[in-house]
């Protein structure tokens, strides 16, 4: 089955600086890569996703890049703010372009992002 | 949060007792999922459902069963709870957006098995 590795496990950055979280996946058939943000005591919230036919996607201060050849994808957060502090999870599945099934997601183990004032 | 509620939100139970967790959605999404979250493991898929009475196993399904008799409800049952099932359980629903399915998560249920 799919295996997703996520690094680093903890990332501390100064407010206003950029943060980058990296993930690798093992199954070349995976084609959908979402990122989730989880605040303490809450469920994960989808913040951005990318499909395998796209190399990069941006939404305001966050962006995701995908390298299919190397089987890795990354989350980039620019101009970090205190409210960006949370645990971030990457995930992978084969649910893109599927005409029927919606497979469950395989998650990385998470990155605790700390924004230092 | 896609109109997902979970009940109970917290539960403490003893080893060997049966436990049922409930997930309710108001979005009429076809797909529903149960995950567990443990420190150092991220979230792992337990079971999922692709329609009423249609379910399938996930990565960590041993010791769990599910049922879905209505589109809006997805139940997770621990037939005989063990301490290794102490965890936070999240329900999610899946909706087709553009060319793929996006998943939305509920607030979670913290289960402690003593």
């Amino acid at each position: 089955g799919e295996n997703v590795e996520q690094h680093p496990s903890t990332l501390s950055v100064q407010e206003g600086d950029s943060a980058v979280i990296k993930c690798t996946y093992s199954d070349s058939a995976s084609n959908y890569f979402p990122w989730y943000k989880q605040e303490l005591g809450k469920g994960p919230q989808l913040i951005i996703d990318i499909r395998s036919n796209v190399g990069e996607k941006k939404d305001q201060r966050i962006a995701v890049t995908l390298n299919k050849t190397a089987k890795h994808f990354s989350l980039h957060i620019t101009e970090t703010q205190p409210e960006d502090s949370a645990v971030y999870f990457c995930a992978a599945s084969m649910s893109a372009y599927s005409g029927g099934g919606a497979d469950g997601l395989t998650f990385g183990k998470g990155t605790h992002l700390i924004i230092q004032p | 949060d896609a109109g997902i509620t979970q009940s109970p939100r917290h539960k403490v139970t003893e080893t060997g007792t049966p436990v049922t967790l409930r997930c309710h959605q108001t979005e009429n999404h076809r797909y529903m999922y149960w995950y567990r979250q443990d420190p150092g493991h991220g979230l792992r898929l337990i079971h999922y459902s692709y329609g009423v009475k249609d379910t399938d196993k996930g990565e960590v399904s041993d010791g769990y069963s599910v049922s879905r008799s209505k589109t809006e409800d997805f139940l997770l049952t621990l037939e005989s709870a063990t301490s290794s099932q102490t965890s936070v359980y999240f329900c999610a629903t899946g909706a087709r957006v553009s060319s793929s399915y996006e998943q939305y998560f509920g607030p979670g249920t913290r289960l402690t098995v003593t």
Side-chain angles (χ1 to χ4, degrees):
Chain A
E2 175 65 277
N3 182 52
V4 177
E5 298 283 342
Q6 182 172 349
H7 299 280
S9 57
T10 303
L11 178 61
S12 181
V13 302
Q14 289 294 125
E15 182 178 350
D17 288 349
S18 296
V20 180
I21 302 170
K22 299 181 179 181
C23 290
T24 60
Y25 61 99
S26 61
D27 193 336
S28 57
S30 289
N31 54 23
Y32 175 61
F33 307 94
W35 285 88
Y36 286 84
K37 175 183 180 182
Q38 186 177 28
E39 297 175 334
L40 196 61
K42 297 185 178 181
Q45 178 187 10
L46 179 67
I47 57 172
I48 195 167
D49 57 16
I50 192 167
R51 295 162 183 81
S52 58
N53 65 335
V54 175
E56 183 174 1
K57 182 177 178 181
K58 195 172 182 179
D59 182 3
Q60 298 183 338
R61 293 188 297 110
I62 61 173
V64 57
T65 59
L66 171 65
N67 183 326
K68 287 189 295 182
T69 303
K71 289 190 282 188
H72 69 69
F73 57 112
S74 300
L75 177 71
H76 304 252
I77 306 174
T78 59
E79 301 173 8
T80 54
Q81 300 171 3
E83 55 264 36
D84 294 329
S85 293
V87 179
Y88 291 80
F89 291 95
C90 62
S93 82
M94 290 177 273
S95 68
Y97 319 117
S98 83
D103 296 338
L105 296 166
T106 300
F107 283 85
K109 294 182 179 180
T111 296
H112 185 193
L113 177 62
I114 301 166
I115 307 301
Q116 302 280 5
Chain B
D1 58 359
I4 303 170
T5 57
Q6 294 184 230
S7 59
R9 294 292 315 277
H10 301 271
K11 185 171 182 66
V12 179
T13 192
E14 293 183 350
T15 299
T17 60
V19 176
T20 295
L21 308 183
R22 180 178 183 246
C23 179
H24 179 77
Q25 59 135 334
T26 58
E27 301 295 321
N28 200 36
H29 290 166
R30 176 182 175 186
Y31 294 89
M32 297 186 75
Y33 309 82
W34 278 107
Y35 292 86
R36 60 178 289 174
Q37 183 174 34
D38 304 288
H41 288 277
L43 291 99
R44 293 179 290 174
L45 181 66
I46 305 172
H47 281 279
Y48 66 100
S49 169
Y50 42 94
V52 173
K53 297 186 180 179
D54 289 324
T55 64
D56 207 346
K57 296 179 179 180
E59 176 189 356
V60 290
S61 60
D62 287 349
Y64 302 95
S65 63
V66 291
S67 66
R68 192 167 178 202
S69 59
K70 297 186 289 185
T71 298
E72 58 266 35
D73 292 325
F74 193 31
L75 303 180
L76 177 71
T77 298
L78 291 66
E79 301 291 347
S80 177
T82 67
S83 57
S84 65
Q85 294 175 312
T86 292
S87 186
V88 180
Y89 291 86
F90 287 99
C91 173
T93 67
R96 190 170 184 88
V97 178
S98 184
S99 58
S100 64
Y101 288 89
E102 296 183 358
Q103 294 190 20
Y104 308 96
F105 285 79
T109 294
R110 181 173 296 276
L111 176 67
T112 302
V113 183
T114 62

